[in-house]
Amino acid sequence: MRATVIPSPEPVLLDVKDRTEQFPVRRVYCVGRNYADHAIEMGHDPSREPPFFFQKNADNLFNGDTFPYPSASSNVHFEVELVVALADGGSDIPVSDAISKVYGYAVGIDFTRRDLQDVAKKMSRPWEAAKAFEKSAPVSAIVPATELGHPEMGAIWLEVNGERKQSGDLNQMIWKLPEIIAELSKLFVLAPGDVIMTGTPAGVGPVVRGDKVDCAIDGIGTLSLTVS
C-alpha cells in the first residue's frame, strides 16, 4: 500500500450476524418514495414512475444503539427501511440476474432532516444536507442471503417510545429488489460493498432527544436505539 500525505480514512465496516468477519461499505444508494402510502403522505403521485435515487455517504452507516440528534435541524424524521448489501455488481444488470448480486439484508433507518429537505425541495436544490449527515443511517447486523434467502414479503415496522408509528410489508414496495438493482445499474457501475436502502412505508415522523426507537423486519432482524 502506498504512503499517503495524510492518514487514510478508516474503512466503514458493518457487522454480519453470527460472524467475526465484517461487511465493507463502498457506496450507499437510497430509493425515494418506493411505498405508495409514503409517496401519498409526502404529497406525491404513487404511480409506478421510474425510480429515483440519491446517496448517503458510506460513513453515515453504523452499528450502534445511539443516534446523535444533528445540528442545524429542529425536525428530524425516522424512516425504517430494508437494507440490501451487494457482493457483486456491474452495469446494465438484467432483472433476471440482479438478485444474484446480493450478499445479505439488514434493517436500517434513514434519518432525515425534514426541515432542510423541505427547503431544498422548494428551491429545487439537492438533498445531501438533509440526508447525508453523520450517523444518519443506523443498521442492524447483516443477515447473509445464503441463510435467509431473498425476502419478497415480511412485516416492516417502527415504534417510538413503544407507540407504533410505521407499519407495512415488503410486498408493498413499488419497485421490487431485482428491479431496483437493475435500474440502479443503468445509472452507476455497481460493485461489491455497495449498499441500497430501499424506501420506507407510511407513517414517518419526528424524533426528539431521549426518544427510544425500535424497528424490525420479520425474518431479518431488529434495531433499537436511543436519540441523544
Side-chain angles (χ1 to χ4, degrees):
M1 184 175 178
R2 297 183 66 179
T4 58
V5 295
I6 60 173
S8 297
E10 291 292 324
V12 178
L13 303 172
L14 298 178
D15 292 341
V16 178
K17 185 179 180 182
D18 298 329
R19 302 199 182 186
T20 56
E21 301 90 350
Q22 293 181 295
F23 182 88
V25 180
R26 188 185 82 114
R27 293 180 182 172
V28 183
Y29 300 100
C30 305
V31 186
R33 299 194 293 265
N34 198 32
Y35 288 74
D37 288 348
H38 176 57
I40 292 170
E41 76 175 345
M42 298 302 291
H44 299 280
D45 184 348
S47 61
R48 193 178 152 91
E49 61 185 4
F52 75 92
F53 304 97
F54 57 92
Q55 293 189 32
K56 284 181 176 280
N57 299 320
D59 62 1
N60 295 158
L61 272 63
F62 73 103
N63 298 127
D65 57 9
T66 302
F67 167 65
Y69 199 97
S71 60
S73 181
S74 59
N75 188 23
V76 176
H77 282 204
F78 52 78
E79 299 183 6
V80 63
E81 310 204 4
L82 172 67
V83 177
V84 181
L86 300 187
D88 196 3
S91 58
D92 296 316
I93 299 169
V95 172
S96 60
D97 190 39
I99 206 69
S100 70
K101 309 299 183 183
V102 175
Y103 172 77
Y105 301 92
V107 185
I109 302 175
D110 172 19
F111 278 110
T112 303
R113 290 163 161 161
R114 191 71 74 202
D115 44 3
L116 301 190
Q117 186 188 43
D118 288 344
V119 171
K121 287 179 178 179
K122 289 178 182 177
M123 302 181 72
S124 299
R125 291 180 175 176
W127 294 1
E128 276 81 0
K131 290 287 190 177
F133 58 93
E134 283 64 31
K135 293 197 170 182
S136 60
V139 298
S140 68
I142 297 169
V143 182
T146 53
E147 300 176 12
L148 174 67
H150 299 287
E152 297 180 356
M153 61 182 64
I156 176 172
W157 56 265
L158 182 144
E159 296 179 348
V160 178
N161 301 324
E163 181 181 353
R164 187 67 55 97
K165 298 292 187 178
Q166 290 186 270
S167 184
D169 195 285
L170 298 181
N171 64 16
Q172 296 169 343
M173 286 195 290
I174 298 170
W175 290 87
K176 310 306 182 185
L177 298 181
E179 296 172 321
I180 291 170
I181 295 168
E183 290 294 320
L184 189 58
S185 75
K186 295 177 182 178
L187 301 172
F188 305 95
V189 179
L190 302 181
D194 286 347
V195 170
I196 305 171
M197 303 187 75
T198 58
T200 192
V204 301
V207 292
V208 297
R209 290 181 176 86
D211 279 347
K212 179 68 162 47
V213 180
D214 300 285
C215 57
I217 301 175
D218 284 358
I220 296 177
T222 60
L223 177 63
S224 298
L225 54 86
T226 301
V227 182
S228 64

